[in-house]
Amino acid sequence: MLLQLKYRKKEIVIITFILLFALIATHYIYYKFKDSRNIDYNTPTLDVTFHEKSGDEINLTKVIPVSDSVGLASNAYKFTIKNNTDKSISYSINIIDNEEKTEQDDCSLSQISKNIIRFSIHKNGEKNTIYTLSNLVDGKVLTRIIKPNQKEEYTMRVWVSQNNLQTGSPLHYHGMIKVKDEGYKVAANSQ
């Protein structure tokens, strides 16, 4: 009986050790993976975290013209903007051409026309707004004000609208999502 009790204690200690090791290993692997997915761009006033491995890059390399309803179900670029200050800040979300990537891929002559590139953007809890890339002025998608110490999460989807371009065309687009701090916004009393 005493020998059986001693053996049982040894089993419990070994099982506990194995479970503890598995828990620590799982925790380490999860956080390492999570950190590798989030790409941060920080300024003194704003933190911008892109939740995809591609970070702020938009790459349309497989041309498949689709309707807006299908485009709204395409892969998303998700990012979070956080105000690090105790003042309201105005910021803008922009889409700009990724000239470095275009030069690196030597594809300046095989770019998709901006008038057939469509995208949607929405903040959590809001309705999708659909734009055509060629209609943006200086790449500016929207300008908003974020309250002190608040964060806002956005989802952006990009697709090629239905047109005469054939599926599988060698044309593509390289762009970047840029969040720009537009400065402090202080409410003034009107008298």
Side-chain angles (χ1 to χ4, degrees):
M1 175 94 166
L2 188 60
L3 185 60
Q4 209 174 26
L5 186 59
K6 205 174 194 182
Y7 179 71
R8 194 53 106 180
K9 280 185 181 180
K10 194 174 187 180
E11 270 184 348
I12 291 173
V13 168
I14 290 172
I15 290 172
T16 303
F17 178 74
I18 290 171
L19 288 174
L20 185 62
F21 178 76
L23 182 65
I24 291 170
T26 303
H27 177 76
Y28 176 76
I29 291 168
Y30 172 76
Y31 281 100
K32 184 170 178 133
F33 175 74
K34 181 180 169 203
D35 289 343
S36 72
R37 296 282 296 193
N38 291 337
I39 299 173
D40 297 329
Y41 297 94
N42 301 328
T43 69
T45 55
L46 293 175
D47 283 345
V48 181
T49 303
F50 290 92
H51 303 291
E52 311 306 319
K53 261 189 171 175
S54 61
D56 63 346
E57 293 183 2
I58 298 171
N59 292 304
L60 290 175
T61 55
K62 295 179 183 175
V63 176
I64 302 173
V66 297
S67 66
D68 287 346
S69 60
V70 174
L72 289 170
S74 64
N75 289 338
Y77 298 91
K78 296 181 179 187
F79 56 99
T80 303
I81 302 170
K82 182 178 186 293
N83 181 349
N84 292 328
T85 70
D86 58 355
K87 297 179 182 177
S88 293
I89 294 178
S90 176
Y91 67 90
S92 62
I93 298 175
N94 306 275
I95 296 180
I96 61 171
D97 293 341
N98 187 342
E99 293 170 3
E100 184 179 314
K101 182 79 168 172
T102 302
E103 188 177 310
Q104 178 185 347
D105 287 357
D106 192 25
C107 59
S108 60
L109 299 176
S110 58
Q111 294 289 298
I112 299 172
S113 171
K114 290 181 182 177
N115 64 355
I116 61 172
I117 297 175
R118 306 267 289 163
F119 69 94
S120 73
I121 186 167
H122 76 278
K123 188 168 77 166
N124 277 0
E126 291 183 0
K127 185 179 172 187
N128 276 311
T129 305
I130 299 174
Y131 301 92
T132 301
L133 194 57
S134 63
N135 293 342
L136 299 180
V137 177
D138 296 326
K140 190 174 283 191
V141 177
L142 57 83
T143 301
R144 293 237 171 116
I145 295 175
I146 186 170
K147 293 181 180 177
N149 300 307
Q150 295 292 311
K151 72 176 163 179
E152 297 177 346
E153 295 184 16
Y154 284 91
T155 301
M156 183 180 285
R157 299 176 194 281
V158 183
W159 65 94
V160 177
S161 65
Q162 289 181 324
N163 56 56
N164 296 341
L165 200 59
Q166 292 182 346
T167 298
S169 168
L171 299 178
H172 53 276
Y173 173 74
H174 298 297
M176 296 172 72
I177 303 167
K178 290 294 178 199
V179 177
K180 183 179 175 192
D181 177 351
E182 300 287 341
Y184 294 112
K185 293 294 177 188
V186 180
N189 290 336
S190 56
Q191 295 182 4

